[in-house]
Amino acid sequence: TVLEEFRLPRPAEDGLKACVDALNAFLLAGHAAGRHRLLIIDEAQNLSNKVLEEVRLLSGVETTKEKVLRIILAGQPELHAKLDSDELIQLRQRVRLRFHLSALTESEMGAYILHRLRVAGAEDREIFEPDTFPLIFRYTGGIPRLTNTLCDTCLLAAFGGDLETIDVEVVQQALAELQWQEYTARTQTH
């Protein structure tokens, strides 16, 4: 998969060693040409310990002075627990930095929604009415992924209803569609 993502042909020989050798040659050639390579693995919490160990082996490619591949593992909070397990001690020893994105405050969440809308081309149009933000926050807890899901559902409902703006009623329709409880109620049951 990593070879495919870097648009490298599959080696003629089968097996993991041939793939790793091809990747190493690519990385070293790129480094010699002054290129920096970055591998980002999203949803890394879903990888098995075996695959995470293989990722650790990829991090070992280096010149005499530096690593030639930087790896970022991105994932849900379960990734922290997985990295802390005894089975992945060698990988944990290579981790240079851990960063945890916590829930946004209500005002940060509102700014986040407006930013995402601007990036998507909304410019300064008011798509979500201001009184929708407290309701959105109550059901998402400021978690970006949940905020994205709820807002996407609201946008689809508004599109389906040929609406220019999203009001509290549209948010409530989206919540009914998603069958969500308030965030605090959902997190207390787990």
Side-chain angles (χ1 to χ4, degrees):
T1 299
V2 173
L3 291 176
E4 288 173 9
E5 290 300 320
F6 280 123
R7 293 178 175 80
L8 296 174
R10 230 173 142 65
E13 298 175 43
D14 281 339
L16 183 61
K17 182 179 180 340
C19 290
V20 170
D21 289 346
L23 181 63
N24 288 350
F26 167 74
L27 294 171
L28 290 170
H31 182 268
R35 293 189 190 103
H36 301 281
R37 305 293 183 184
L38 174 66
L39 174 63
I40 301 172
I41 301 174
D42 196 12
E43 300 294 340
Q45 79 279 355
N46 295 329
L47 298 177
S48 69
N49 286 358
K50 180 180 184 289
V51 172
L52 284 169
E53 177 60 19
E54 290 172 359
V55 169
R56 180 192 67 81
L57 295 174
L58 294 179
S59 73
V61 182
E62 55 192 312
T63 66
T64 56
K65 295 183 179 181
E66 63 184 319
K67 301 280 186 190
V68 296
L69 178 65
R70 302 283 186 235
I71 302 172
I72 295 176
L73 300 176
Q76 298 297 311
E78 299 85 21
L79 180 58
H80 277 294
K82 189 169 265 202
L83 290 175
D84 287 338
S85 72
D86 289 339
E87 296 86 38
L88 295 173
I89 192 165
Q90 290 183 325
L91 176 61
R92 186 171 61 246
Q93 290 170 347
R94 290 181 183 242
V95 172
R96 301 271 191 265
L97 175 68
R98 284 192 191 191
F99 181 79
H100 174 75
L101 179 63
S102 57
L104 304 172
T105 65
E106 187 174 334
S107 63
E108 290 170 336
M109 183 209 66
Y112 171 76
I113 292 169
L114 295 175
H115 170 75
R116 298 254 329 202
L117 288 168
R118 271 193 301 279
V119 168
E123 297 172 0
D124 290 329
R125 285 186 301 139
E126 184 180 277
I127 294 178
F128 283 84
E129 293 182 2
D131 61 346
T132 61
F133 294 123
L135 181 60
I136 294 169
F137 185 78
R138 212 166 68 225
Y139 281 82
T140 66
I143 305 295
R145 180 175 294 230
L146 298 178
T147 302
N148 294 343
T149 299
L150 180 53
C151 289
D152 286 348
T153 305
C154 290
L155 290 165
L156 285 171
F159 176 76
D162 199 29
L163 303 171
E164 294 284 321
T165 61
I166 295 169
D167 60 14
V168 168
E169 185 179 328
V170 173
V171 176
Q172 289 170 334
Q173 289 171 358
L175 289 166
E177 176 69 27
L178 293 167
Q179 299 180 352
W180 280 5
Q181 297 177 339
E182 288 189 22
Y183 182 75
T184 55
R186 289 196 317 246
T187 55
Q188 289 173 356
T189 60
H190 288 91

